[in-house]
Amino acid sequence: MAGIGLFRIFDPKVRRHLISDEGEVVIDEVRQHWVVFIPPMLEVALATALLVALATDSIGGTQVLLAIVLILLMHAFWQFLTHHRDRFVVTNMRVMRIRGVFSQTVATTPIARVLDITLQKPIVGRIFGYGHFVFESAAQDQGFREIRWVSRPDDRDLTIQRVIQRTGLRASASVDVVQGDDDTDDDGTGPIGMDSAHEVSTTVAPTPAAQQSRPAASGTKSIFNSERGNWTDDDRD
């Protein structure tokens, strides 16, 4: 329990970086897979074995061994914190990567700028359930080029693709609202045959002519509902 409380103290506190007044919410917060903690755990085990040997046997060079134990423990703790604070966050507006122990680096890019995603799953990763994401976009210079050690990579890939798709659909619907496009033709700004201006909630009042020419709403719920709750995702950890 003490260890859990200690790691909470060093939590990167992702939600303080959200634009809450604009309705930004976390869709998925990706922590690194547990395999990254194996090397520091082995260092702790080695340090513990050395301490037991020093306590039970008379071994020469006690000060040297104590120094080695201290170095191992400090390095293991540093690795724990480094991996613990490395987070990749997907929101309904952007993607972020937060990392660093004492000095923190926060890299962000709009979700619409994420163009191509390559999911790499090595053989060991397929066994233990982790993979690596490679992003091909303008964000690669900001630390998004490669996100490694992602747990449940298939689910995370679907989540990102789903958010990108929803963002694109909302942007298309907004264009139709501004331009007054009723989407009776396939002009690339919205679904064919769907009245986007009627589906998206907006403060712009339709003209009387438009009200007479458009049929009454059928009461079915649209995927273009602009309520913020529509962005919540059930696949988060």
Side-chain angles (χ1 to χ4, degrees):
M1 297 298 294
I4 296 176
L6 181 62
F7 275 97
R8 286 181 178 176
I9 295 176
F10 290 99
D11 191 87
K13 298 177 176 59
V14 171
R15 281 163 178 76
R16 69 171 55 177
H17 301 284
L18 299 179
I19 313 175
S20 300
D21 55 346
E22 295 294 334
E24 185 177 21
V25 294
V26 174
I27 303 299
D28 195 7
E29 181 178 345
V30 182
R31 296 173 174 85
Q32 292 187 338
H33 194 268
W34 59 266
V35 296
V36 300
F37 297 103
I38 293 179
M41 290 175 63
L42 292 177
E43 292 181 352
V44 172
L46 179 58
T48 303
L50 290 176
L51 287 176
V52 171
L54 287 173
T56 56
D57 298 327
S58 298
I59 303 177
T62 303
Q63 295 181 349
V64 176
L65 290 178
L66 287 177
I68 293 175
V69 169
L70 182 60
I71 292 173
L72 287 174
L73 292 177
M74 291 179 61
H75 184 263
F77 184 68
W78 179 261
Q79 292 297 314
F80 270 113
L81 290 182
T82 301
H83 294 304
H84 175 70
R85 291 180 60 85
D86 194 338
R87 305 290 175 85
F88 178 66
V89 183
V90 181
T91 75
N92 57 329
M93 297 181 180
R94 53 186 174 153
V95 291
M96 296 186 291
R97 187 179 184 185
I98 304 174
R99 53 182 173 172
V101 179
F102 296 114
S103 60
Q104 189 178 65
T105 301
V106 181
T108 65
T109 191
I111 192 69
R113 295 182 64 185
V114 179
L115 303 178
D116 299 321
I117 304 176
T118 301
L119 174 58
Q120 299 177 346
K121 293 190 294 182
I123 296 177
V124 180
R126 296 184 65 181
I127 296 174
F128 292 101
Y130 70 84
H132 313 303
F133 283 113
V134 179
F135 292 89
E136 297 293 341
S137 68
Q140 62 188 22
D141 296 332
Q142 297 180 326
F144 293 106
R145 168 63 180 170
E146 189 174 11
I147 307 296
R148 298 178 59 82
W149 315 110
V150 177
S151 60
R152 296 192 294 112
D154 293 324
D155 294 338
R156 263 56 193 264
D157 182 46
L158 290 176
T159 298
I160 296 173
Q161 298 294 345
R162 190 178 298 117
V163 175
I164 293 174
Q165 181 70 10
R166 291 179 181 179
T167 303
L169 291 175
R170 284 170 177 256
S172 299
S174 300
V175 171
D176 289 336
V177 170
V178 175
Q179 296 180 352
D181 187 1
D182 59 1
D183 282 328
T184 55
D185 58 344
D186 187 8
D187 59 357
T189 60
I192 300 175
M194 177 175 287
D195 186 357
S196 301
H198 203 73
E199 294 289 339
V200 180
S201 300
T202 177
T203 58
V204 179
T207 61
Q211 290 179 344
Q212 296 176 1
S213 61
R214 293 176 181 171
S218 60
T220 57
K221 187 175 180 180
S222 170
I223 60 173
F224 294 102
N225 189 351
S226 61
E227 294 295 331
R228 294 176 182 175
N230 192 35
W231 284 105
T232 57
D233 195 298
D234 295 330
D235 294 331
R236 68 177 64 175
D237 287 342

